[in-house]
Amino acid sequence: GDRWLAPTNWLDKDLQVLPENAREFIRGMNRARKSYEHTKIFHLFWFCSKFFTYLMKEHPPIEEMKTFGFRLNPTQEQQRELIALSVASKEIWNHFVEHQAARIAAGEPAWSAFDMHKLLTQERAVRPQWQKLNSKAGQRITSAVDFAYRSYRQLIKKDKTAKPPQTIDIDENQFYTLVFNQSGWSFKNGVVVINKLPIEFKGHLPVHEMDVKELRIKKRGSKWLCDVCVEENVIQPNQMTIHNKV
């Protein structure tokens, strides 16, 4: 026990009055004291980690993406700009889908998402229309091309009739949903700035306080809509209670 240990304020000069074997014994007991204290701290941290692991196992938090929508009121000029961005996104998709298909048909290794990100930067330098689209939004399209071809390679192993990713018809009358991930928008005083376009919107959502992860621009008929995606941690119960059971 602790009563057999030497006082912690003993110095080497205090031990000089004792025989050599007694001094070695007291130094060893002091080292044992420190080791014992460290062991108690280790067990405390071990218990806390096990308890936290138990809580996470019983009620694991799950990240869920919640979507909230509101109306946009773009001007005629802003509508033309949004349609031009939609056309640019279609061109980016078609460009990389066609080149990826050509590489696979020629027996060459397919481009990775990182390869297409670098090629997109080079293509943007010579294509003014693509430069209008936010660079992060363009990278999201190339990542979607990469994901589509990886899914196709997995599907073709099970179904030989599976078709590879297809190009999209470039028609200005068919608006292609614009997706901005992580950047490309901001909310200021009842106006949402999307790809440097300040567009008025209607809604009662506290979008200024939300941690928006993704923003999508859609067109349904003559209505322009905006969806904001917010990521939240939801703790799922380990049991489900059915209140309307018989």
Side-chain angles (χ1 to χ4, degrees):
D2 288 347
R3 68 180 184 273
W4 299 107
L5 301 182
T8 56
N9 59 353
W10 274 26
L11 304 176
D12 286 341
K13 65 179 183 179
D14 300 322
L15 301 179
Q16 297 301 325
V17 298
L18 299 177
E20 179 62 27
N21 57 352
R23 291 199 299 268
E24 290 297 328
F25 174 77
I26 292 176
R27 291 193 185 101
M29 295 303 291
N30 281 333
R31 288 194 296 269
R33 179 206 299 274
K34 295 179 180 179
S35 176
Y36 175 68
E37 293 175 351
H38 292 168
T39 303
K40 289 193 295 185
I41 295 175
F42 169 78
H43 280 288
L44 176 62
F45 278 103
W46 178 84
F47 173 78
C48 291
S49 64
K50 289 295 182 180
F51 183 69
F52 180 75
T53 304
Y54 167 77
L55 293 179
M56 294 289 290
K57 184 177 181 180
E58 291 295 320
H59 304 285
I62 298 178
E63 292 184 350
E64 291 186 354
M65 192 76 75
K66 291 188 177 181
T67 304
F68 304 91
F70 51 85
R71 287 279 301 275
L72 293 178
N73 295 321
T75 63
Q76 292 295 327
E77 180 63 25
Q78 290 173 344
Q79 292 183 30
R80 287 191 289 270
E81 290 289 339
L82 291 175
I83 292 174
L85 295 177
S86 175
V87 172
S89 63
K90 294 179 184 179
E91 291 177 351
I92 294 174
W93 170 273
N94 291 346
H95 175 82
F96 285 97
V97 165
E98 291 173 352
H99 282 71
Q100 192 78 296
R103 290 181 63 85
I104 295 176
E108 300 179 2
W111 284 330
S112 65
F114 182 73
D115 294 333
M116 287 188 281
H117 291 344
K118 294 191 297 184
L119 293 172
L120 176 62
T121 303
Q122 300 173 5
E123 291 292 333
R124 282 169 56 88
V126 297
R127 297 174 184 262
Q129 183 64 22
W130 291 13
Q131 296 175 10
K132 297 180 180 180
L133 185 65
N134 180 271
S135 60
K136 190 66 178 178
Q139 290 180 359
R140 190 188 183 282
I141 297 174
T142 53
S143 297
V145 174
D146 175 66
F147 178 78
Y149 269 97
R150 285 190 288 110
S151 299
Y152 167 70
R153 288 194 294 268
Q154 294 296 326
L155 184 60
I156 198 66
K157 297 177 182 179
K158 303 177 182 178
D159 184 5
K160 299 302 181 182
T161 62
K163 296 182 179 180
Q166 303 295 314
T167 58
I168 303 174
D169 294 333
I170 299 179
D171 185 0
E172 294 186 357
N173 296 323
Q174 294 181 354
F175 185 81
Y176 187 77
T177 300
L178 295 174
V179 181
F180 297 90
N181 188 12
Q182 298 180 359
S183 64
W185 75 87
S186 62
F187 295 94
K188 299 178 181 178
N189 300 324
V191 174
V192 54
V193 182
I194 304 173
N195 209 88
K196 300 182 180 180
L197 295 175
I199 303 175
E200 296 182 356
F201 67 91
K202 291 182 179 180
H204 303 285
L205 297 172
V207 290
H208 301 83
E209 303 174 1
M210 293 181 175
D211 185 15
V212 180
K213 298 295 185 182
E214 189 172 278
L215 185 140
R216 304 168 186 165
I217 307 298
K218 302 183 295 184
K219 185 181 181 183
R220 296 293 182 266
S222 60
K223 298 179 181 179
W224 291 87
L225 307 175
C226 178
D227 291 341
V228 291
C229 301
V230 181
E231 195 174 73
E232 294 183 358
N233 287 335
V234 180
I235 297 179
Q236 299 290 343
N238 54 355
Q239 293 182 355
M240 181 179 295
T241 303
I242 302 177
H243 298 283
N244 59 350
K245 65 179 181 179
V246 179

